[in-house]
Structures are given as structure tokens and as C-alpha cells.
Amino acid sequence: QLYRDARECLTLLSQRLGSQKFFFGDSPASLDAFVFSRLAPLLKAKLPNGKLQQHLKSLQNLCNYCTSILSLYFPWDGGEMRPPALPCGLRAEEDPHKRRNQLLSVLVGLVAMLGYAFLSGIVSIQRGSAGPVDRRPIALEEEEEEE
């Protein structure tokens, strides 16, 4: 039922859009932003069940609608431009210090958690007496008396 309703909704959107560039003429409106925010992930994402995605791909005007908005407002997704590069021109995956930065962030987090545990009293360090420890075994009768 849900897929049937969604397919019907996509078909109605396709009919309403027709051959126009946007739903209300040549310039986008808030409805265009809302519809695009729902259609683009459905069109671009890999989904476990592709029924709805296949139906959307069969509606050529909605596919063109998404593609035109992507290329107009997100040109790096359309392949015309690239997103801003890191300052030294490296991509995040190619960062030579990535492993070091991960290790440092884990260590800082660990130190922060331990500091919090000590300062809040969750963990405390107590020193024992410096004298010899009595290590004789406790007899069963003595153990019951202590309880």
C-alpha cells in the first residue's frame, strides 16, 4: 500500500511539473526545494529495494528536474566543478597524517574521560599502609564470626 501511494505521488508530481523547469514557472519556489529534497536522495542513493527508484527513473521530467537543480545549485555534483579543496590541495582520504590525527583524538578523549572520572570522584587512588600485610588464611569459623 505504501509503495503504491508513493508511486501515485511521484506520478502526480510528474504530471503537475509537465514540461516546466520548476513547479511554478521559470524560477524555483519553496515547493521546489521541498520536492527536490525528497526526490534527489531517492534518485541518487543506493536503496535495498529499488522499486520506487525505478519508477522515479521512468518519469523522465522528474529526473531532468533533479538533474537541472543539481547542476544549477550544486555544480560539483554535476561534474562541472569540484568542491573546495583542503588548504594544501589534499583530499581527506589522501591526508598523510590521518592515522596520527585519529590516534591523537582518541588519546585526548581518553585523557579527558579519565580527568573527569578523577575530578568527579568516580575513581580515586588510595594508598595502603607501608607495613607487612597479614596474609594468613581466614578459617571458616572466623569468616562466619565476621559476618
Side-chain angles (χ1 to χ4, degrees), residues 117-118 121-130 133:
F118 281 118
I122 295 172
V123 175
S124 63
I125 298 175
Q126 297 177 351
R127 289 190 173 184
S129 62
V133 178

Side-chain angles (χ1 to χ4, degrees), residues 98-113:
K98 182 178 180 181
R99 180 62 78 193
R100 180 197 66 184
N101 293 341
Q102 288 174 339
L103 181 64
L104 283 175
S105 63
V106 168
L107 288 174
V108 167
L110 183 63
V111 167
M113 286 189 288

Side-chain angles (χ1 to χ4, degrees), residues 6 19 23 29 34 41-43 48 50 56 68 80 93 108 137-138:
S19 61
F23 281 97
F34 181 79
L42 180 60
L43 185 63
L56 177 58
S68 70
E80 296 172 10
E93 311 76 66
V108 167
I138 298 176

Side-chain angles (χ1 to χ4, degrees), residues 18 49 60 75 77 79 88-89 95 101 104 119 135:
N49 186 344
Q60 195 58 44
D77 283 348
C88 59
D95 186 8
N101 293 341
L104 283 175
L119 292 175
R135 294 186 184 242

Side-chain angles (χ1 to χ4, degrees), residues 15-140:
Q15 290 172 357
R16 171 62 182 93
L17 181 63
S19 61
Q20 298 178 43
K21 187 172 181 178
F22 297 105
F23 281 97
F24 296 112
D26 290 335
S27 60
S30 58
L31 176 66
D32 292 295
F34 181 79
V35 170
F36 174 76
S37 72
R38 301 301 192 261
L39 292 182
L42 180 60
L43 185 63
K44 296 291 185 178
K46 291 182 180 179
L47 303 173
N49 186 344
K51 289 185 211 175
L52 202 55
Q53 191 174 49
Q54 289 303 317
H55 182 66
L56 177 58
K57 287 181 179 179
S58 72
L59 302 170
Q60 195 58 44
N61 64 338
L62 287 180
C63 290
N64 293 341
Y65 170 77
C66 287
T67 304
S68 70
I69 290 177
L70 279 171
S71 64
L72 185 61
Y73 294 103
F74 306 97
W76 54 87
D77 283 348
E80 296 172 10
M81 289 177 44
R82 290 278 175 226
L86 294 174
C88 59
L90 295 173
R91 310 282 301 158
E93 311 76 66
E94 301 168 357
D95 186 8
H97 305 292
K98 182 178 180 181
R99 180 62 78 193
R100 180 197 66 184
N101 293 341
Q102 288 174 339
L103 181 64
L104 283 175
S105 63
V106 168
L107 288 174
V108 167
L110 183 63
V111 167
M113 286 189 288
L114 286 174
Y116 174 76
F118 281 118
L119 292 175
S120 65
I122 295 172
V123 175
S124 63
I125 298 175
Q126 297 177 351
R127 289 190 173 184
S129 62
V133 178
D134 185 18
R135 294 186 184 242
R136 68 178 178 90
I138 298 176
L140 188 58

